[in-house]
Amino acid sequence: MSTTYHGEAGERFGAVADAFDRNFADFPELGAAVTVFAGGRKVVELWGGVADPATARAWERDTVVPVFSCAKGIVSLAAHLLAQEGRLDLDAPVSRYWPEFAEHGKAGITARMVLGHRAGLPVLDRTVPFGEIAGWTPVIRAIEEQKPLWEPGSTYAYHGHVFGFLLGEVVRRITGRTVGGYFRDAVGEPLGLRVWLGLPPAELAQRALLVEAEGRPPMPPPEHILTRIVTMNGAFAFPGLDEPRGWNDPALLGMELPGAGATASATGLAGVYAAAVTGIDGSPRLLTRETVTDAVREVSAGPDWFGFDAGARWGSGFLLDSAFRPMLGARSFGNDGAGGQFAFGDDEHGVAFAYVANRMVGHGDARATRLVTAVRACLG
């Protein structure tokens, strides 16, 4: 076995280990991990490299790292679980559950529109100061005051942070719990998954620290709407990772930022999707086949409100198999993160996958795609 990595890959999945090893030589990686479940059982769990470049602390089996918008998969899972239980109608107005949301032309917006990035609310006009975001309510009031940027449902554009706060408030109105708390109660704690929306203080010291890859494209100017979307109008320092309010800042990681603030291990993140599509080690699957069919029905694709087409396809809250993020087929669904992290599940193939890393290359970069290609080859 190469000294690059640790862990195990089942005999049928040796090609995944080979691809993981090559990633360290070809990109290069700093620290990374990949986990694959098949039929509800772990068949690949590999990790390697450095979690903290300042101290040369090694990446371990349970190392967690910020996974950015992979958080949207957790929020979407929560929404679909509530829909499956009959507690949330994805096609009913959000205002059924949150009456104040209907203000300023938002009465017709449904949860499905939000899940498909079609609500017209990709960014907020009001800047919520960093110190108030953890209080939740200031962000919710800003959403209530916001007017849609387009006729809801008529087009789409990525909803960044608003996605998580908006759907998170719907979950809170229904369950009385934050979406991160609901996820931990319903999924994370029962299954022992190392995935959080808001990292517990006890986990901070052992997390992996993010590093920008050389040559990563710069962000547009602060006033640019794309920058406003990903930084919540400058509330977060991005890509200022090590600055106050940057993504290595414990104060930021400890907040519940459900659109882009998950922290997870590869095995924890893969476990979310394994639990959803097959169950884990004999436990029942969380999402029925009918629920997955609803989730993978295409909602948004092609040129967005900006006129930009990255080749992505969106179902209800999840990326679908596409040129932007190749997966396994028509029933694959997942989400990726700003540093290149990626996770998905597929109930037709009975597979769940997650790749995480701390050298940030970008959405849709080739590291995870190479690993998914290897998984596909192993499945024959």
Side-chain angles (χ1 to χ4, degrees), residues 109-152:
I109 293 175
T110 66
R112 180 99 56 196
M113 290 179 189
V114 184
L115 288 163
H117 301 273
R118 305 185 73 85
L121 303 168
V123 67
L124 302 176
D125 291 332
R126 190 212 289 186
T127 297
V128 180
F130 179 83
E132 296 182 12
I133 291 171
W136 189 267
T137 300
V139 181
I140 299 311
R141 295 291 172 263
I143 293 173
E144 291 171 356
E145 296 167 4
Q146 184 66 39
K147 297 180 180 179
L149 299 188
W150 60 79
E151 178 64 28

Short mmCIF file of all heavy atoms in Angstrom, two decimals, residues 109-152:
data_model
loop_
_atom_site.label_atom_id
_atom_site.label_comp_id
_atom_site.label_asym_id
_atom_site.label_seq_id
_atom_site.Cartn_x
_atom_site.Cartn_y
_atom_site.Cartn_z
N ILE A 109 -44.22 32.12 -3.27
CA ILE A 109 -42.99 31.32 -3.27
C ILE A 109 -43.19 30.03 -2.47
O ILE A 109 -43.66 30.05 -1.33
CB ILE A 109 -41.82 32.13 -2.69
CG1 ILE A 109 -41.47 33.30 -3.62
CG2 ILE A 109 -40.59 31.24 -2.47
CD1 ILE A 109 -40.41 34.23 -3.06
N THR A 110 -42.84 28.91 -3.09
CA THR A 110 -42.95 27.60 -2.45
C THR A 110 -41.58 27.10 -2.00
O THR A 110 -40.54 27.59 -2.46
CB THR A 110 -43.55 26.58 -3.41
OG1 THR A 110 -42.62 26.37 -4.49
CG2 THR A 110 -44.89 27.05 -3.98
N ALA A 111 -41.58 26.11 -1.13
CA ALA A 111 -40.33 25.48 -0.73
C ALA A 111 -39.62 24.87 -1.94
O ALA A 111 -38.39 24.90 -2.03
CB ALA A 111 -40.58 24.42 0.34
N ARG A 112 -40.39 24.34 -2.88
CA ARG A 112 -39.78 23.75 -4.09
C ARG A 112 -39.01 24.80 -4.88
O ARG A 112 -37.93 24.52 -5.41
CB ARG A 112 -40.86 23.14 -4.97
CG ARG A 112 -40.33 22.51 -6.26
CD ARG A 112 -40.17 21.04 -6.17
NE ARG A 112 -41.39 20.38 -5.81
CZ ARG A 112 -41.43 19.11 -5.37
NH1 ARG A 112 -40.32 18.41 -5.24
NH2 ARG A 112 -42.58 18.56 -5.04
N MET A 113 -39.55 26.03 -4.97
CA MET A 113 -38.84 27.10 -5.66
C MET A 113 -37.51 27.41 -4.99
O MET A 113 -36.50 27.63 -5.65
CB MET A 113 -39.70 28.36 -5.72
CG MET A 113 -40.91 28.27 -6.63
SD MET A 113 -41.83 29.84 -6.56
CE MET A 113 -43.32 29.37 -7.48
N VAL A 114 -37.51 27.40 -3.67
CA VAL A 114 -36.27 27.64 -2.94
C VAL A 114 -35.30 26.50 -3.18
O VAL A 114 -34.11 26.71 -3.48
CB VAL A 114 -36.53 27.82 -1.43
CG1 VAL A 114 -35.23 28.16 -0.71
CG2 VAL A 114 -37.58 28.89 -1.18
N LEU A 115 -35.77 25.26 -3.09
CA LEU A 115 -34.92 24.09 -3.32
C LEU A 115 -34.32 24.09 -4.71
O LEU A 115 -33.20 23.62 -4.92
CB LEU A 115 -35.74 22.81 -3.10
CG LEU A 115 -36.10 22.48 -1.65
CD1 LEU A 115 -37.22 21.46 -1.59
CD2 LEU A 115 -34.88 21.97 -0.88
N GLY A 116 -35.05 24.63 -5.70
CA GLY A 116 -34.56 24.71 -7.07
C GLY A 116 -33.89 26.02 -7.41
O GLY A 116 -33.63 26.30 -8.59
N HIS A 117 -33.64 26.86 -6.40
CA HIS A 117 -32.95 28.15 -6.60
C HIS A 117 -33.76 29.08 -7.50
O HIS A 117 -33.19 29.89 -8.24
CB HIS A 117 -31.54 27.93 -7.15
CG HIS A 117 -30.68 27.09 -6.26
ND1 HIS A 117 -29.93 27.60 -5.22
CD2 HIS A 117 -30.47 25.74 -6.22
CE1 HIS A 117 -29.30 26.62 -4.59
NE2 HIS A 117 -29.62 25.48 -5.18
N ARG A 118 -35.09 29.00 -7.42
CA ARG A 118 -35.97 29.77 -8.31
C ARG A 118 -36.79 30.84 -7.58
O ARG A 118 -37.66 31.47 -8.18
CB ARG A 118 -36.93 28.82 -9.04
CG ARG A 118 -36.25 27.69 -9.80
CD ARG A 118 -37.24 26.87 -10.61
NE ARG A 118 -37.72 27.59 -11.77
CZ ARG A 118 -37.10 27.65 -12.95
NH1 ARG A 118 -35.93 27.01 -13.13
NH2 ARG A 118 -37.61 28.32 -13.95
N ALA A 119 -36.51 31.09 -6.31
CA ALA A 119 -37.36 31.96 -5.50
C ALA A 119 -37.12 33.44 -5.75
O ALA A 119 -37.91 34.28 -5.30
CB ALA A 119 -37.17 31.66 -4.02
N GLY A 120 -36.03 33.79 -6.45
CA GLY A 120 -35.72 35.20 -6.67
C GLY A 120 -35.05 35.87 -5.50
O GLY A 120 -35.02 37.10 -5.41
N LEU A 121 -34.48 35.08 -4.59
CA LEU A 121 -33.89 35.62 -3.37
C LEU A 121 -32.44 35.16 -3.20
O LEU A 121 -32.05 34.66 -2.13
CB LEU A 121 -34.72 35.18 -2.16
CG LEU A 121 -36.20 35.56 -2.18
CD1 LEU A 121 -36.96 34.83 -1.08
CD2 LEU A 121 -36.36 37.07 -2.05
N PRO A 122 -31.59 35.31 -4.21
CA PRO A 122 -30.23 34.81 -4.07
C PRO A 122 -29.37 35.62 -3.12
O PRO A 122 -28.35 35.14 -2.63
CB PRO A 122 -29.68 34.88 -5.51
CG PRO A 122 -30.44 36.03 -6.11
CD PRO A 122 -31.83 35.91 -5.53
N VAL A 123 -29.77 36.86 -2.86
CA VAL A 123 -28.97 37.75 -2.02
C VAL A 123 -29.92 38.70 -1.30
O VAL A 123 -31.03 38.96 -1.77
CB VAL A 123 -27.93 38.53 -2.87
CG1 VAL A 123 -28.61 39.50 -3.81
CG2 VAL A 123 -26.90 39.22 -2.00
N LEU A 124 -29.49 39.21 -0.14
CA LEU A 124 -30.28 40.14 0.64
C LEU A 124 -29.76 41.56 0.45
O LEU A 124 -28.55 41.78 0.37
CB LEU A 124 -30.23 39.77 2.12
CG LEU A 124 -30.73 38.36 2.47
CD1 LEU A 124 -30.53 38.10 3.97
CD2 LEU A 124 -32.18 38.18 2.07
N ASP A 125 -30.66 42.51 0.38
CA ASP A 125 -30.26 43.91 0.29
C ASP A 125 -29.66 44.39 1.60
O ASP A 125 -28.72 45.18 1.62
CB ASP A 125 -31.46 44.79 -0.08
CG ASP A 125 -31.94 44.55 -1.50
OD1 ASP A 125 -31.11 44.15 -2.34
OD2 ASP A 125 -33.13 44.73 -1.77
N ARG A 126 -30.23 43.92 2.71
CA ARG A 126 -29.71 44.35 4.01
C ARG A 126 -28.48 43.53 4.39
O ARG A 126 -28.48 42.30 4.24
CB ARG A 126 -30.77 44.18 5.10
CG ARG A 126 -30.34 44.85 6.42
CD ARG A 126 -30.86 44.14 7.65
NE ARG A 126 -32.29 44.27 7.83
CZ ARG A 126 -32.91 43.81 8.93
NH1 ARG A 126 -32.23 43.19 9.89
NH2 ARG A 126 -34.22 43.93 9.04
N THR A 127 -27.45 44.20 4.88
CA THR A 127 -26.28 43.50 5.40
C THR A 127 -26.50 43.23 6.88
O THR A 127 -26.69 44.15 7.67
CB THR A 127 -25.00 44.33 5.21
OG1 THR A 127 -24.77 44.53 3.83
CG2 THR A 127 -23.80 43.62 5.83
N VAL A 128 -26.50 41.95 7.24
CA VAL A 128 -26.60 41.57 8.65
C VAL A 128 -25.19 41.46 9.21
O VAL A 128 -24.37 40.68 8.70
CB VAL A 128 -27.34 40.23 8.80
CG1 VAL A 128 -27.45 39.85 10.28
CG2 VAL A 128 -28.73 40.30 8.17
N PRO A 129 -24.84 42.26 10.22
CA PRO A 129 -23.47 42.21 10.76
C PRO A 129 -23.09 40.81 11.22
O PRO A 129 -23.94 40.05 11.71
CB PRO A 129 -23.51 43.20 11.93
CG PRO A 129 -24.65 44.12 11.62
CD PRO A 129 -25.67 43.27 10.91
N PHE A 130 -21.81 40.51 11.08
CA PHE A 130 -21.32 39.18 11.44
C PHE A 130 -21.76 38.78 12.85
O PHE A 130 -22.20 37.66 13.08
CB PHE A 130 -19.79 39.16 11.34
CG PHE A 130 -19.17 37.84 11.72
CD1 PHE A 130 -19.08 36.81 10.79
CD2 PHE A 130 -18.66 37.62 12.99
CE1 PHE A 130 -18.50 35.59 11.13
CE2 PHE A 130 -18.08 36.41 13.33
CZ PHE A 130 -18.01 35.40 12.40
N GLY A 131 -21.66 39.72 13.79
CA GLY A 131 -21.99 39.40 15.17
C GLY A 131 -23.44 39.09 15.42
O GLY A 131 -23.79 38.56 16.47
N GLU A 132 -24.33 39.42 14.46
CA GLU A 132 -25.76 39.17 14.64
C GLU A 132 -26.24 37.91 13.92
O GLU A 132 -27.37 37.46 14.16
CB GLU A 132 -26.57 40.37 14.13
CG GLU A 132 -26.31 41.66 14.92
CD GLU A 132 -27.15 42.82 14.42
OE1 GLU A 132 -28.09 42.57 13.63
OE2 GLU A 132 -26.87 43.97 14.81
N ILE A 133 -25.41 37.36 13.04
CA ILE A 133 -25.86 36.22 12.24
C ILE A 133 -26.17 35.02 13.11
O ILE A 133 -27.15 34.30 12.89
CB ILE A 133 -24.81 35.88 11.17
CG1 ILE A 133 -24.76 37.00 10.12
CG2 ILE A 133 -25.12 34.55 10.49
CD1 ILE A 133 -23.61 36.89 9.15
N ALA A 134 -25.34 34.79 14.13
CA ALA A 134 -25.56 33.64 15.01
C ALA A 134 -26.88 33.74 15.77
O ALA A 134 -27.40 32.72 16.23
CB ALA A 134 -24.40 33.50 15.99
N GLY A 135 -27.44 34.94 15.88
CA GLY A 135 -28.71 35.12 16.54
C GLY A 135 -29.90 34.67 15.71
O GLY A 135 -31.03 34.64 16.21
N TRP A 136 -29.68 34.36 14.45
CA TRP A 136 -30.67 33.81 13.52
C TRP A 136 -31.76 34.81 13.13
O TRP A 136 -31.99 35.11 11.98
CB TRP A 136 -31.30 32.53 14.06
CG TRP A 136 -32.18 31.79 13.09
CD1 TRP A 136 -33.53 31.91 12.93
CD2 TRP A 136 -31.75 30.83 12.11
NE1 TRP A 136 -33.97 31.08 11.93
CE2 TRP A 136 -32.89 30.40 11.41
CE3 TRP A 136 -30.51 30.29 11.76
CZ2 TRP A 136 -32.84 29.45 10.39
CZ3 TRP A 136 -30.45 29.35 10.75
CH2 TRP A 136 -31.61 28.93 10.07
N THR A 137 -32.45 35.36 14.14
CA THR A 137 -33.59 36.24 13.88
C THR A 137 -33.24 37.44 12.99
O THR A 137 -34.04 37.78 12.10
CB THR A 137 -34.22 36.71 15.20
OG1 THR A 137 -34.67 35.56 15.92
CG2 THR A 137 -35.41 37.63 14.96
N PRO A 138 -32.10 38.11 13.15
CA PRO A 138 -31.80 39.23 12.25
C PRO A 138 -31.77 38.83 10.78
O PRO A 138 -32.21 39.60 9.91
CB PRO A 138 -30.43 39.72 12.74
CG PRO A 138 -30.40 39.36 14.18
CD PRO A 138 -31.11 38.04 14.26
N VAL A 139 -31.28 37.63 10.48
CA VAL A 139 -31.26 37.17 9.09
C VAL A 139 -32.69 36.89 8.62
O VAL A 139 -33.07 37.23 7.49
CB VAL A 139 -30.38 35.92 8.92
CG1 VAL A 139 -30.35 35.48 7.46
CG2 VAL A 139 -28.97 36.18 9.43
N ILE A 140 -33.48 36.28 9.47
CA ILE A 140 -34.88 35.97 9.12
C ILE A 140 -35.64 37.26 8.85
O ILE A 140 -36.44 37.34 7.89
CB ILE A 140 -35.53 35.14 10.24
CG1 ILE A 140 -34.78 33.82 10.43
CG2 ILE A 140 -37.00 34.90 9.93
CD1 ILE A 140 -34.51 33.04 9.16
N ARG A 141 -35.44 38.30 9.66
CA ARG A 141 -36.11 39.58 9.41
C ARG A 141 -35.67 40.17 8.07
O ARG A 141 -36.49 40.75 7.34
CB ARG A 141 -35.81 40.55 10.55
CG ARG A 141 -36.38 40.13 11.88
CD ARG A 141 -37.90 40.20 11.93
NE ARG A 141 -38.42 39.62 13.16
CZ ARG A 141 -38.89 38.39 13.27
NH1 ARG A 141 -38.93 37.58 12.22
NH2 ARG A 141 -39.35 37.93 14.43
N ALA A 142 -34.40 40.05 7.74
CA ALA A 142 -33.93 40.57 6.46
C ALA A 142 -34.56 39.82 5.30
O ALA A 142 -34.88 40.42 4.26
CB ALA A 142 -32.40 40.46 6.39
N ILE A 143 -34.77 38.51 5.43
CA ILE A 143 -35.45 37.74 4.39
C ILE A 143 -36.90 38.20 4.26
O ILE A 143 -37.42 38.36 3.15
CB ILE A 143 -35.37 36.23 4.68
CG1 ILE A 143 -33.92 35.75 4.58
CG2 ILE A 143 -36.26 35.44 3.73
CD1 ILE A 143 -33.71 34.31 5.03
N GLU A 144 -37.56 38.43 5.38
CA GLU A 144 -38.94 38.90 5.34
C GLU A 144 -39.07 40.23 4.61
O GLU A 144 -40.05 40.47 3.89
CB GLU A 144 -39.49 39.02 6.76
CG GLU A 144 -39.68 37.68 7.46
CD GLU A 144 -40.01 37.81 8.94
OE1 GLU A 144 -40.02 38.96 9.46
OE2 GLU A 144 -40.27 36.77 9.57
N GLU A 145 -38.08 41.10 4.75
CA GLU A 145 -38.11 42.43 4.15
C GLU A 145 -37.68 42.43 2.68
O GLU A 145 -37.87 43.44 1.99
CB GLU A 145 -37.18 43.37 4.93
CG GLU A 145 -37.62 43.61 6.37
CD GLU A 145 -36.54 44.27 7.19
OE1 GLU A 145 -35.47 44.61 6.62
OE2 GLU A 145 -36.75 44.44 8.42
N GLN A 146 -37.12 41.34 2.21
CA GLN A 146 -36.54 41.30 0.87
C GLN A 146 -37.60 41.15 -0.22
O GLN A 146 -38.53 40.36 -0.09
CB GLN A 146 -35.54 40.14 0.77
CG GLN A 146 -34.80 40.05 -0.54
CD GLN A 146 -33.89 41.23 -0.76
OE1 GLN A 146 -33.25 41.71 0.18
NE2 GLN A 146 -33.82 41.70 -1.99
N LYS A 147 -37.43 41.89 -1.31
CA LYS A 147 -38.26 41.71 -2.50
C LYS A 147 -37.53 40.78 -3.47
O LYS A 147 -36.31 40.87 -3.62
CB LYS A 147 -38.50 43.06 -3.19
CG LYS A 147 -39.29 44.06 -2.36
CD LYS A 147 -39.46 45.37 -3.13
CE LYS A 147 -40.26 46.37 -2.31
NZ LYS A 147 -40.42 47.67 -3.04
N PRO A 148 -38.25 39.88 -4.13
CA PRO A 148 -37.60 39.01 -5.12
C PRO A 148 -36.96 39.82 -6.23
O PRO A 148 -37.48 40.87 -6.66
CB PRO A 148 -38.75 38.15 -5.65
CG PRO A 148 -39.80 38.21 -4.58
CD PRO A 148 -39.69 39.58 -3.98
N LEU A 149 -35.84 39.34 -6.74
CA LEU A 149 -35.14 40.00 -7.84
C LEU A 149 -35.76 39.67 -9.19
O LEU A 149 -35.48 40.34 -10.18
CB LEU A 149 -33.66 39.60 -7.84
CG LEU A 149 -32.84 39.96 -6.60
CD1 LEU A 149 -31.37 39.68 -6.85
CD2 LEU A 149 -33.05 41.41 -6.19
N TRP A 150 -36.56 38.62 -9.25
CA TRP A 150 -37.28 38.27 -10.47
C TRP A 150 -38.62 37.65 -10.07
O TRP A 150 -38.85 37.36 -8.89
CB TRP A 150 -36.48 37.31 -11.35
CG TRP A 150 -36.13 36.00 -10.71
CD1 TRP A 150 -36.94 34.90 -10.55
CD2 TRP A 150 -34.86 35.62 -10.13
NE1 TRP A 150 -36.28 33.89 -9.92
CE2 TRP A 150 -35.01 34.29 -9.66
CE3 TRP A 150 -33.63 36.27 -10.00
CZ2 TRP A 150 -33.96 33.62 -9.05
CZ3 TRP A 150 -32.60 35.59 -9.38
CH2 TRP A 150 -32.75 34.29 -8.91
N GLU A 151 -39.49 37.46 -11.01
CA GLU A 151 -40.77 36.81 -10.74
C GLU A 151 -40.49 35.39 -10.24
O GLU A 151 -39.92 34.57 -10.97
CB GLU A 151 -41.63 36.77 -12.00
CG GLU A 151 -42.97 36.07 -11.81
CD GLU A 151 -43.88 36.76 -10.84
OE1 GLU A 151 -43.78 38.01 -10.69
OE2 GLU A 151 -44.70 36.07 -10.20
N PRO A 152 -40.86 35.09 -9.00
CA PRO A 152 -40.54 33.77 -8.45
C PRO A 152 -41.02 32.64 -9.36
O PRO A 152 -42.15 32.65 -9.85
CB PRO A 152 -41.27 33.77 -7.11
CG PRO A 152 -41.29 35.21 -6.71
CD PRO A 152 -41.50 35.96 -7.99
#
